[in-house]
Each structure stands twice: as C-alpha cells, then as structure tokens.
Amino acid sequence: MNKKTEALGALTPERLQGIRRGIEKESLRALPSGMVAMTPHPAALGSALTHPHITTDFSESQVELITGVHAGVQSCLDELTQVQQFTTQALGEEMLWVSSMPSCLPADDAIPIGQYGSSNVGRAKSVYRTGLGHRYGRRMQTISGIHYNWSLPDVSSKDYFGLIRNFRRHAFLLLYLFGASPAVCASFVAGRQHQLKPLSPQTLYLPYATSLRMGRLGYQSDAQTSLAVSYNCLQGYGDSLHDALTRPYPAYETIGVRGSNGEYRQLATSLLQIENEFYGTIRPKRVIFPGERPLHALRERGVEYVEVRLMDLDPFEVVGINSQTMRFLDVFLLHCLQTESPRDTPEEIAALGRNQQNVAERGREPGLLLERGSSTVTLTDWGLELVRAMAPVASQLDASHGGTEYAAAVAAAEHALANPETTPSARVLREISQSHDGSFVAFVRAQSIRTKQAMLDAPLAPSAQQHFEQLAQTSWEDQRQVEQGDTMPFDIYLQEYLSPRRLGEAAQG
C-alpha cells in the first residue's frame, strides 16, 4: 500500500465528521454614496471589545463578523448570515461594502482607528492599530477579507506544519479560483507607485489580475519579507516569531514608541509589535487564555487549528462566500494534510512569494508560468494536476457526509481552470466594464445596495433578533467589568504584556 492510499485510509468517516470550521469576515461600512462611513462603530452592535460575534478590525469603520465553531458547512454559513442580518439592520442608512478593496477613502490620517474603551486591553488594541498606521499606512489596513478557521481531530503540530507548507505551495490555486479584487478605486493608490492601468477616470486595474489584495498593493511588507519564516516545525516557526517580536527594527525605532506629546505611536519598536502583525496566507493557531500571548499558547500546547487568510470577499455572494467554496477549502486543506510535504528552504520561500505576486496580478493570463522546484509549469497544468488529485478526498468526504456536494466543488474548480472567464475576478471586471462605465466604485456600490436589500428582505426571526440584542447589551456590561477590573497603570500593563518572558520557551519538535 503506498503512502497516499494509506493516508486516505486514515480519513475514517468519524474523523471526517470531526472537521470543524468557523469564519471571520471583514467589511467596511459605507455610505449610500460609496464613501467610507466615518461614524463610530454603531452602539446597537455592542462592544467591539467583548462581543463574541461582532467587532471591528483595523478601523472604526471596518466591521468584523465572527461565527462560532461548526461541524457543518451550512450551519456555519447560516450563522454568518444571521450575524450579518442583525448587523445590516443596525446600520441605518449605511451598508457593508462587498468588495475586499475599499470604497472611496479620505486622506490616510483621517481614516479612524478602532476604539475599544478605556481599559488597558482596549487601549492596547488602539495603540497597536496606531502603530500599523505609522508602519504601513492606514489605507492598506482597510483592505478586507474572509478568514477560514479549520481543524481535523487527531492532527499533531508536526502534521499541521506539513499542511501549512503544502498550502503555501498550492495557494496559487485558491487565488486563481476565488480572487475577486482585480480593480481598485484610484484613491487607494493616491501618491503611491504602482503598475495598474486606468480602466476609467477613477478606476485602476490589471487585465488578468485575480486578487490585487494579495499582490504588491495589498498586505505586503518589505520589513516582513526580511523574516523568511520557515514552517518546518513549531520550534523553528516559534523562534522566528520570537526574534521578530523582540529585535528592534531601525525604521520603527525612528517612529518611536511615543511622540513628543507623550501619546503612544506604537506598542514597540520591534519588527512585529505583536504576533497578529505577521502577515501570511495561513497561520497556525491555538485558542488562548485571557491575557496569554498567542506564541506562548502555541509553544505550550501546540497547534489546534489553521487560519486561512487569503480569501477575498466575493461581491456576488450575500455573505461574501458560499457553501461550494467552503467545501472546496475543506478538500484543499485535507489534500494538503494528506500529501507528502518536503521541508521548505529559503529558495523555495522566495519562489513562492514570486508565484503569489504573479498569480495575484496576472493569474488569468494565458500560459502563465509558475516556479516549481528547479523548473516552471503553467498555472493551468499544475492546477489541474492538483484538482484531479483531490477527487478521491472529495469522494471520501461525500461518503462520510452523504450527497455529492464535495465532488461538485472539485468539478467546479476543474471547470474554472479550463474557463478563466467564469472566475470571480473575470466576472467582476466584466460587470465593471459592461454595466458601470468602467467604475469600480459604481459596481461595488450597486452590489452593496443589492446585498443590503437582500438582508433587509429576510429579517431575523423575533427570537434570533432578541438573542442578538441581548448579546449586544451583555457585551457592554462585560466591557464595563473589564474597565472596572483594571488595577495597574497602562504603561505598566504594556510593559508586562510585552515582556519577552511571556512569549514562552522554545518548544521541542
């Protein structure tokens, strides 16, 4: 029996039914005009600090909707829909912007940073975001996306890191299939160098782009590129992060921790202020205890799940993602876990970075070549090879859950590889060009209005409405308790939280 057959054999129906997933979805709040809303996070949504399902991301204008952990794809999607229904109702005239790339933005320093109240932990969250603004600019932080959290029972940290290495090798396929940000509002790149072409006076694009969000204009950082983090094992990964969290970085030392007025400008001058600042298409994660550092949790107790971070919002789906896409992610992640995963090297890490950039900016270009080892291969050939290798995994998932929906998700991916015009990125460009006079903002505005109306036309059941109203009220009470429970001055709190000893000891293996 070869290793692959053996691996598939280990995917018993019981284990496959043990897959758990959850979604975090970011969206800017926008005005009917398409401008970003500059108002505070609506009080009716509850406390952004303590609400379990509704918070803000970087900006006060950027809502983040969070599901619980689900055994079923549909139940996960249903909960996300309910959270979005409640949120939409509370927004009044405002709406959720349905594209990953932002609406018309004000001047960089006018973009409002998330506020979380007067507690030490709340203030630290705002200082961290202030630091992100100084380091990368606030515009970049307004980009939104969907994070897919995923786990399978009885998977060791070593095997999760094997999954992560394969995911990074094959992530180009997800960018091609689900990238939906081939164009931007010109305000996003005002004053910056870029390679974009004009589609209309206020819209820039690249003709074969899949996800500008994941390319050079998106979540990229020259400082972090110098990290070259290895995913060969938990210890090496932890050591890389530990170094980045404790080593001063000259450019950030220039910014300083505080300004001349005494106000905090960032949490620290290290390459990373905290763990969350580390960008990546996928992250190893662990649920943390209150006040615990994420790196400490990973080192102490190992990887519990992975967070997939490269999914764009799909503007054609009311909640930004559909069940078929989620099922494909399940198959993709299982395939990454079950396939041999050689150790990565600095050379491969650099090549993967180039592949990501090329697919983000040119993914639908006919004959596009990607680097694989010491040779090149077309995206289509490599993609088809991967998708066909996933068919047995999809069959096993269908056998354990009943139905044929996983096989259908894989078949849809194969179809999209042969027909690039059916991908979300191609559909977005077609819609912009044909129906909206080449205007990115006009297209997304129309889709956002349509999505808002769909949510309002299907209001929550009274019991669900009451449940969310109660959650919002409880979250404000929880925030007050956190604020009243603070016993140390903010400066001392930060010094204690950021202490290197709280990052834990290097794990073995």
Side-chain angles (χ1 to χ4, degrees):
M1 186 185 289
N2 67 34
K3 276 192 173 174
K4 192 165 177 197
T5 314
E6 208 174 302
L8 285 168
L11 293 178
T12 61
E14 294 73 32
R15 270 189 90 198
L16 292 176
Q17 284 165 14
I19 290 174
R20 295 291 178 268
R21 80 275 290 154
I23 287 176
E24 300 161 57
K25 179 203 175 196
E26 306 150 354
S27 298
L28 282 174
R29 289 184 289 112
L31 297 171
S33 64
M35 291 294 292
V36 67
M38 304 289 278
T39 46
H41 185 64
L45 294 178
S47 160
L49 180 70
T50 54
H51 197 295
H53 299 296
I54 305 169
T55 182
T56 53
D57 194 71
F58 169 77
S59 173
E60 194 70 357
S61 310
Q62 192 175 31
V63 173
E64 184 172 347
L65 309 180
I66 304 161
T67 72
V69 179
H70 289 267
V73 165
Q74 195 56 50
S75 67
C76 184
L77 210 49
D78 289 346
E79 186 185 20
L80 181 59
T81 304
Q82 286 199 332
V83 177
Q84 186 167 305
Q85 284 169 316
F86 177 76
T87 302
T88 302
Q89 285 183 345
L91 290 185
E93 67 158 6
E94 296 172 5
M95 58 190 177
L96 294 176
W97 191 248
V98 298
S99 171
S100 280
M101 299 310 279
S103 47
C104 303
L105 293 172
D108 202 74
D109 60 2
I111 295 168
I113 280 168
Q115 300 298 317
Y116 305 91
S118 61
S119 67
N120 285 336
V121 65
R123 287 178 66 191
K125 285 168 83 76
S126 292
V127 172
Y128 165 59
R129 286 156 173 76
T130 302
L132 294 177
H134 284 302
R135 290 169 173 223
Y136 313 107
R138 296 187 184 186
R139 282 181 192 153
M140 188 176 100
Q141 304 298 322
T142 63
I143 297 172
S144 298
I146 280 186
H147 298 169
Y148 193 66
N149 298 309
W150 186 93
S151 69
L152 177 75
D154 306 319
V155 177
S156 65
S157 293
K158 180 184 173 196
D159 287 339
Y160 271 126
F161 273 96
L163 178 161
I164 287 168
R165 291 194 299 277
N166 276 337
F167 182 96
R168 284 163 48 77
R169 289 175 179 120
H170 303 152
F172 74 87
L173 181 58
L174 298 179
L175 293 180
Y176 171 88
L177 292 173
F178 305 117
S181 53
V184 296
C185 175
S187 68
F188 182 72
V189 291
R192 289 174 68 186
Q193 283 195 316
H194 61 82
Q195 293 80 36
L196 304 180
K197 302 177 187 313
L199 188 60
S200 68
Q202 288 304 312
T203 298
L204 299 167
Y205 84 121
L206 287 174
Y208 297 113
T210 61
S211 178
L212 294 179
R213 166 176 170 262
M214 296 304 299
R216 276 175 285 197
L217 288 177
Y219 273 108
Q220 302 294 313
S221 153
D222 291 339
Q224 290 194 25
T225 305
S226 69
L227 272 173
V229 170
S230 164
Y231 293 87
N232 286 329
C233 64
L234 176 54
Q235 183 176 342
Y237 176 81
D239 290 349
S240 296
L241 277 195
H242 190 121
D243 179 55
L245 288 161
T246 53
R247 174 164 45 97
Y249 188 71
Y252 302 155
E253 287 185 299
T254 305
I255 294 167
V257 171
R258 293 188 183 207
S260 54
N261 58 0
E263 293 287 314
Y264 277 94
R265 295 168 65 82
Q266 56 184 341
L267 290 173
T269 59
S270 42
L271 204 155
L272 300 177
Q273 299 174 85
I274 56 173
E275 293 89 330
N276 283 359
E277 188 174 341
F278 178 51
Y279 302 136
T281 53
I282 185 169
R283 274 185 193 160
K285 296 288 287 261
R286 170 115 227 151
V287 174
I288 60 172
F289 300 135
E292 185 182 27
R293 295 292 298 264
L295 180 53
H296 180 272
L298 270 182
R299 282 172 154 178
E300 285 284 305
R301 304 189 296 282
V303 183
E304 187 176 4
Y305 64 97
V306 292
E307 178 189 42
V308 172
R309 300 171 51 81
L310 50 56
M311 301 298 288
D312 283 355
L313 296 174
D314 185 336
F316 301 106
E317 297 294 335
V318 286
V319 293
I321 191 169
N322 63 28
S323 58
Q324 187 171 81
T325 299
M326 290 167 70
R327 286 194 172 88
F328 187 81
L329 286 172
D330 288 348
V331 176
F332 185 90
L333 289 162
L334 274 171
H335 178 260
C336 289
L337 180 67
Q338 294 294 301
T339 309
E340 284 291 299
S341 186
R343 292 170 69 81
D344 59 33
T345 62
E347 294 74 24
E348 186 189 29
I349 290 167
L352 293 179
R354 291 189 292 270
N355 281 351
Q356 178 178 325
Q357 207 171 84
N358 282 330
V359 178
E361 297 174 2
R362 301 164 47 208
R364 287 176 290 103
E365 185 181 292
L368 177 68
L369 290 171
L370 301 181
E371 298 176 53
R372 182 165 66 171
S374 56
S375 60
T376 57
V377 60
T378 67
L379 181 152
T380 309
D381 285 349
W382 194 359
L384 283 171
E385 187 184 306
L386 286 170
V387 167
R388 285 165 184 162
M390 290 177 203
V393 181
S395 297
Q396 284 198 271
L397 279 163
D398 281 332
S400 70
H401 288 90
T404 56
E405 290 168 305
Y406 281 99
V410 170
E414 187 166 350
H415 182 263
L417 281 162
N419 301 275
E421 71 283 358
T422 64
T423 58
S425 57
R427 290 177 64 202
V428 165
L429 280 186
R430 201 158 53 243
E431 279 276 331
I432 290 174
S433 303
Q434 293 175 1
S435 313
H436 300 280
D437 299 326
S439 169
F440 164 79
V441 168
F443 161 68
V444 184
R445 179 177 169 269
Q447 287 298 117
S448 302
I449 291 169
R450 196 171 294 142
T451 297
K452 176 179 178 174
Q453 198 55 52
M455 293 280 102
L456 296 176
D457 288 345
L460 286 168
S463 59
Q465 180 72 21
Q466 198 176 351
H467 166 70
F468 282 107
E469 286 171 1
Q470 185 60 55
L471 276 180
Q473 192 180 325
T474 304
S475 73
W476 285 118
E477 290 160 14
D478 291 344
Q479 178 177 320
R480 275 191 291 277
Q481 284 191 355
V482 173
E483 288 169 351
Q484 288 163 7
D486 276 348
T487 54
M488 62 175 79
F490 182 59
D491 299 355
I492 305 297
Y493 166 83
L494 269 194
Q495 196 180 330
E496 169 64 21
Y497 183 77
L498 296 172
S499 166
R501 65 182 169 74
R502 300 199 49 177
L503 296 171
E505 294 298 319
Q508 298 304 307

